[in-house]
Amino acid sequence: MDQGLAAVLGAGVGVLGTLGTAAVTYAAARRQALDQGKVDDTKAIRGERRDAYLAFIEAAEPVDFVLHSLAHSDEAPGSCERPPNTAVLNEMVEDIDSAVHALYKAQARIDLVGPSSVVSEAVNVWGAARDLRSFLQAVLRGEVAPDVYAQALETAVDAVEKARDDFGRAARDVVSTPMNLFRE
């Protein structure tokens, strides 16, 4: 083979090598950009979820206040066995009504950020708060007999507390689990 042909073949191999390296570099840079985009999206979604979950928990705080006032009265022993007076009950119904509306708004935000496991638990908290409101309204209307008040109150309080615990557990699971494990 003469030197001219060898030089042309050598230059051709060099050009092909350079083009191949450029293609591999381009593919790797593109893949890295896509991966970084996924990481950024994951961080953003995690932050949005955390913020939505915290807003929901904050919206539920008035429910806790009502529960504490009803179930953990510091008045005379046995005061939880009978309904509070009408003025106190009216105030509690107003507080729980405001909380139910705030929970509804916060729950709608959770609908957007998901996942469905947390959405369903948020709906359960909202439903339990609505049920507590209905119970208190029934007490105000005189539809709850004094002899069943304590047991009915305990049932309503337990439902709210269980729903809150379940929501908290589901939210913690989502926030502490790597995002690539959630398909939603």
Side-chain angles (χ1 to χ4, degrees), residues 33-48:
L34 290 173
D35 289 347
Q36 185 61 47
K38 287 179 184 178
V39 168
D40 292 344
D41 288 347
T42 298
K43 285 181 182 179
I45 290 169
R46 183 179 299 279
E48 289 174 18

Side-chain angles (χ1 to χ4, degrees), residues 82-103:
R82 61 188 184 286
N85 66 49
T86 303
V88 171
L89 269 174
N90 276 326
E91 188 177 321
M92 289 180 180
V93 168
E94 287 178 20
D95 289 346
I96 200 82
D97 190 52
S98 295
V100 165
H101 291 296
L103 282 170

Side-chain angles (χ1 to χ4, degrees), residues 66-152:
V66 170
L67 290 178
H68 181 75
S69 298
L70 285 168
H72 306 291
S73 178
D74 293 333
E75 296 175 14
S79 61
C80 295
E81 299 296 317
R82 61 188 184 286
N85 66 49
T86 303
V88 171
L89 269 174
N90 276 326
E91 188 177 321
M92 289 180 180
V93 168
E94 287 178 20
D95 289 346
I96 200 82
D97 190 52
S98 295
V100 165
H101 291 296
L103 282 170
Y104 178 76
K105 291 177 185 177
Q107 189 273 325
R109 188 171 169 200
I110 290 174
D111 277 344
L112 293 175
V113 297
S116 61
S117 61
V118 178
V119 170
S120 64
E121 296 301 344
V123 169
N124 291 342
V125 172
W126 177 57
R130 285 185 9 240
D131 291 346
L132 178 63
R133 178 185 61 189
S134 296
F135 168 72
L136 293 176
Q137 290 170 332
V139 172
L140 270 174
R141 291 188 302 266
E143 297 171 0
V144 177
D147 59 329
V148 298
Y149 170 79
Q151 182 59 44

Side-chain angles (χ1 to χ4, degrees), residues 13-35:
V13 169
V15 167
L16 288 176
T18 301
L19 290 175
T21 301
V24 169
T25 302
Y26 170 77
R30 184 167 183 220
R31 178 66 185 183
Q32 183 179 8
L34 290 173
D35 289 347

Side-chain angles (χ1 to χ4, degrees), residues 51-72:
D51 293 347
Y53 301 164
L54 287 173
F56 187 81
I57 290 169
E58 288 172 4
E61 285 177 7
V63 176
D64 284 342
F65 178 76
V66 170
L67 290 178
H68 181 75
S69 298
L70 285 168
H72 306 291

